[in-house]
Amino acid sequence: MDCPTCVDKHVIRVENLCKTYRVPQKPPGLVGSLRSLFSREVQQVHAVQNVTFEIQPGERVGFLGPNGAGKTTTLKMLSGLLVPTSGQINVRGFRPSDRDPDFLRRITLVMGQKQQLLWDLPPYESLELNRALYAISRAQFQETVGQLRDLLDLGALLDRPVRNLSLGERMKCELAVALLHRPDVLFLDEPTIGLDVTMQATVRTFIAEWNQRYGVTVLLTSHYMQDIAALCNRVIVIDGGKLVYDGDLGALARNIAPHRRILLRSHTEMTLDALSAYGPFVREGGSTVASVHASVVNSIVNRLLVDIPDIELSVEDASLESIIARLFQRGEGETRNGRQ
């Protein structure tokens, strides 16, 4: 067990975390099936390999990686649903795999593809069930439900059978049930999956508000990069079960994609030769575009605005999707740590 000072400083501490599965292999055909009855070959699948990171109180951290990278496996180990093959995990001073009742009161795990609501009953019944499970006082229960109802705009949803709710309405109720006991640590695995754009924004706004109000530590996985960009300044990226980046999201963007695109539109026809004095402009379809380093964008834009009064322009950053894709394309190598 870590010292009290270390526990206070780091809500989550992971050291050399590994998870390996033994997967039976069967040779093809009838002969292979018969042979496997007596002698079965087993393949070692390394889902998570030597992952190390720390998360401070109140941080909102994005946890990124392609499908099969080990994100959900890691979250399940952090929440105590899986036991690590090796390595150490400390969450709020507890070892998650022990499933200590005090630990379970301090964390919650919300998985966008799973639900804890009772299908044929209203969400309010699930709230009442959790009130009993967590021994929450009636006064705290009513206060928390009132706050969740207001922040999530639940209205009459809590009194309608779950089967009659839309996917977005169910997710809002899932969040309400998961947060009823006011956990310190919130693990979110694809909380906006399948939701429309409006509902995704609603869920993001709620997570940010709850984090600011209660100082909850959030570890979030999502394939929607809008979720990460809106909620997280720091990202942890894993690929093939290995940590490939841990640090500031802005620093990652500057390192992987340091260039910006300047798009021009002018009421005065300008040739590419004339524009070459400002930057490497080319024609792309109906647009005039230059890709330049971020450090010179302001200088080019200011010169264009002064010299060409009727010009219209915009500056585009590389999308977060493209930045993460480029990081994966670099392949295996040294872990990139952007932490100060």
Side-chain angles (χ1 to χ4, degrees):
M1 186 68 68
D2 290 327
C3 66
T5 302
C6 296
V7 171
D8 289 340
K9 182 179 179 182
H10 304 111
V11 173
I12 299 172
R13 174 180 291 175
V14 174
E15 297 179 3
N16 300 317
L17 183 64
C18 297
K19 182 63 179 179
T20 301
Y21 294 100
R22 293 169 54 85
V23 181
Q25 301 294 302
K26 184 185 81 66
L30 178 60
V31 174
S33 298
L34 293 174
R35 185 180 302 163
S36 67
L37 294 175
F38 303 97
S39 177
R40 178 170 294 184
E41 296 180 3
V42 177
Q43 179 184 5
Q44 301 282 341
V45 176
H46 303 289
V48 177
Q49 304 181 62
N50 297 314
V51 170
T52 297
F53 61 83
E54 296 173 341
I55 298 179
Q56 310 288 341
E59 272 196 284
R60 298 198 302 254
V61 180
F63 194 37
L64 304 179
N67 289 330
K71 303 185 301 297
T72 299
T73 298
T74 302
L75 287 186
K76 287 182 176 180
M77 288 190 284
L78 289 171
S79 58
L81 294 177
L82 290 177
V83 179
T85 302
S86 63
Q88 302 293 324
I89 305 177
N90 188 297
V91 179
R92 278 298 189 192
F94 296 93
R95 185 168 59 185
S97 58
D98 291 342
R99 303 291 288 173
D100 187 291
D102 288 334
F103 164 74
L104 298 178
R105 293 188 186 96
R106 306 195 73 170
I107 66 111
T108 197
L109 170 64
V110 178
M111 306 181 73
Q113 296 177 320
K114 306 289 183 182
Q115 73 170 38
Q116 59 178 322
L117 298 172
L118 303 173
W119 186 249
D120 293 314
L121 297 177
Y124 194 84
E125 297 296 329
S126 296
L127 288 169
E128 283 283 7
L129 176 60
N130 275 22
R131 185 192 70 81
L133 289 174
Y134 288 101
I136 302 170
S137 69
R138 177 61 63 179
Q140 180 180 321
F141 173 78
Q142 292 175 343
E143 178 186 356
T144 305
V145 169
Q147 292 174 343
L148 291 167
R149 191 191 296 269
D150 292 341
L151 289 173
L152 286 167
D153 191 23
L154 296 175
L157 297 181
L158 295 180
D159 300 317
R160 290 163 50 188
V162 171
R163 66 175 182 274
N164 293 338
L165 301 178
S166 69
L167 177 60
E169 291 170 339
R170 289 203 304 273
M171 179 49 64
K172 291 200 295 184
C173 293
E174 288 282 354
L175 286 168
V177 172
L179 294 172
L180 180 67
H181 60 293
R182 296 183 184 176
D184 297 328
V185 182
L186 178 56
F187 298 118
L188 297 173
D189 189 22
E190 302 285 355
T192 61
I193 190 168
L195 304 186
D196 61 38
V197 174
T198 301
M199 193 58 68
Q200 288 176 23
T202 298
V203 171
R204 288 195 294 265
T205 300
F206 168 74
I207 294 170
E209 176 69 22
W210 197 260
N211 163 261
Q212 292 168 5
R213 180 174 294 196
Y214 293 109
V216 175
T217 303
V218 179
L219 185 59
L220 165 72
T221 78
S222 180
H223 282 101
Y224 299 121
M225 293 300 101
Q226 297 93 328
D227 294 346
I228 304 300
L231 290 170
C232 307
N233 292 323
R234 174 188 171 194
V235 292
I236 296 172
V237 185
I238 62 172
D239 190 12
K242 297 181 179 180
L243 184 71
V244 296
Y245 181 82
D246 178 7
D248 181 75
L249 181 57
L252 175 62
R254 291 189 295 272
N255 180 37
I256 300 294
H259 288 76
R260 304 291 182 267
R261 281 164 51 91
I262 303 176
L263 290 81
L264 299 184
R265 181 176 180 273
S266 175
H267 298 290
T268 301
E269 185 64 28
M270 295 196 65
T271 66
L272 291 179
D273 286 341
L275 288 170
S276 64
Y278 301 95
F281 284 94
V282 297
R283 307 289 188 196
E284 287 187 4
S287 301
T288 303
V289 181
S291 179
V292 299
H293 196 278
S295 62
V296 299
V297 167
N298 288 341
S299 173
I300 294 174
V301 168
N302 289 336
R303 288 171 56 205
L304 286 166
L305 292 174
V306 170
D307 295 345
I308 312 172
D310 67 343
I311 200 167
E312 298 176 11
L313 58 80
S314 60
V315 178
E316 292 182 349
D317 294 332
S319 68
L320 185 53
E321 287 90 344
S322 68
I323 292 169
I324 298 300
R326 291 182 202 178
L327 180 62
F328 296 149
Q329 289 168 2
R330 289 189 173 186
E332 295 184 2
E334 293 185 4
T335 298
R336 298 166 184 82
N337 193 320
R339 301 290 285 167
Q340 297 297 320

